[in-house]
Amino acid sequence: AQSVSQHNHHVILSEAASLELGCNYSYGGTVNLFWYVQYPGQHLQLLLKYFSGDPLVKGIKGFEAEFIKSKFSFNLRKPSVQWSDTAEYFCALGTAGNMLTFGGGTRLMVKP
Amino acid sequence: EPEVTQTPSHQVTQMGQEVILRCVPISNHLYFYWYRQILGQKVEFLVSFYNNEISEKSEIFDDQFSVERPDGSNFTLKIRSTKLEDSAMYFCASSETRDRGGYTFGSGTRLTVV
């Protein structure tokens, strides 16, 4: 069965710091990988997605993620965070039937 | 930007009561989903729905749960006899295609069973 792990549950950064959130998955087939963000009181929004091709994927709001197949990883990065990036971030694995398996989420707090 | 709309945003119900959570997916989307997130736990898949029938369902989606598309716009999740452990945030989502993911999620309905 597939699974997704996000090892950082809580991350606190100062503005302008660089961000990297870890995501590892377990699945034997072709993977589609996603990062979603949930701002306080809002719905899950798609940040970026990987299906195939270039393993470095760029998303909205300056975020990017790198798919490393040998490490079963899809880490999210941003070179310089802002206070408005404070949110919860979810990594998700898409498998057959378009079902998403989510990681546990990482709460990011950016201090001004 | 098109949105998935969920109502109500918060519902409190007594144990054993039936609840219906409502969703209006994006109008040209054909695939519909329900997920839930129990407080402090992962977002979990419940069910996917296409062409007026269930495509996939998880082990969580037992006989107490049902989904329906009663008209051309609404997509509902019914819990027949709620239990305390059904308390969670329920998210509806829709997508244009079956593969390639990237759903649009609604804001969720927080269900509290007392």
Side-chain angles (χ1 to χ4, degrees):
Chain A
Q2 62 270 22
S3 65
V4 177
S5 297
Q6 293 180 242
H7 306 294
N8 314 105
H9 299 295
H10 290 92
V11 173
I12 302 174
L13 295 173
S14 298
E15 274 195 317
S18 65
L19 170 73
E20 181 160 3
L21 301 183
C23 172
N24 288 91
Y25 67 91
S26 173
Y27 183 63
T30 302
V31 296
N32 298 328
L33 292 159
F34 307 86
W35 276 96
Y36 283 87
V37 60
Q38 188 174 29
Y39 298 103
Q42 296 189 28
H43 60 279
L44 289 160
Q45 298 176 43
L46 182 65
L47 268 182
L48 48 79
K49 55 190 177 186
Y50 170 79
F51 296 143
S52 62
D54 189 345
L56 185 62
V57 179
K58 295 195 184 299
I60 61 172
K61 307 189 184 201
F63 287 91
E64 65 179 31
E66 185 175 13
F67 171 58
I68 303 180
K69 190 174 181 180
S70 61
K71 294 185 178 180
F72 298 91
S73 70
F74 189 57
N75 292 354
L76 181 71
R77 299 196 292 249
K78 185 171 184 178
S80 175
V81 295
Q82 301 171 308
W83 176 80
S84 57
D85 293 323
T86 294
E88 189 158 16
Y89 293 80
F90 295 91
C91 183
L93 168 68
T95 56
N98 216 14
M99 185 183 86
L100 291 179
T101 299
F102 282 85
T106 297
R107 286 188 186 274
L108 171 67
M109 179 183 292
V110 180
K111 297 188 292 186
Chain B
E1 188 178 326
E3 290 186 347
V4 173
T5 306
Q6 289 187 246
T7 55
S9 55
H10 190 187
Q11 179 150 1
V12 181
T13 189
Q14 290 203 322
M15 193 168 52
Q17 294 296 303
E18 175 183 286
V19 293
I20 297 176
L21 309 183
R22 302 182 192 278
C23 170
V24 179
I26 294 173
S27 59
N28 65 333
H29 285 186
L30 301 176
Y31 298 87
F32 315 114
Y33 314 87
W34 284 100
Y35 283 75
R36 79 171 184 190
Q37 186 180 27
I38 295 171
L39 190 63
Q41 298 187 24
K42 292 186 179 185
V43 178
E44 303 171 290
F45 170 78
L46 291 179
V47 66
S48 61
F49 189 87
Y50 169 72
N51 200 26
N52 282 320
E53 60 182 31
I54 291 172
S55 324
E56 307 270 349
K57 61 180 182 178
S58 70
E59 292 174 354
I60 303 166
F61 195 87
D62 61 21
D63 292 344
Q64 291 298 313
F65 292 89
S66 63
V67 288
E68 194 178 30
R69 189 154 161 81
D71 52 43
S73 59
N74 290 284
F75 178 52
T76 61
L77 174 70
K78 183 193 291 186
I79 309 175
R80 233 177 296 282
S81 176
T82 49
K83 303 188 281 278
L84 294 176
E85 53 265 38
D86 294 326
S87 295
M89 181 74 91
Y90 288 81
F91 294 103
C92 175
S94 68
S95 66
E96 207 170 342
T97 59
R98 184 174 188 270
D99 297 317
R100 303 308 206 174
Y103 310 160
T104 301
F105 280 90
S107 300
T109 293
R110 181 167 296 285
L111 177 65
T112 303
V113 182
V114 297

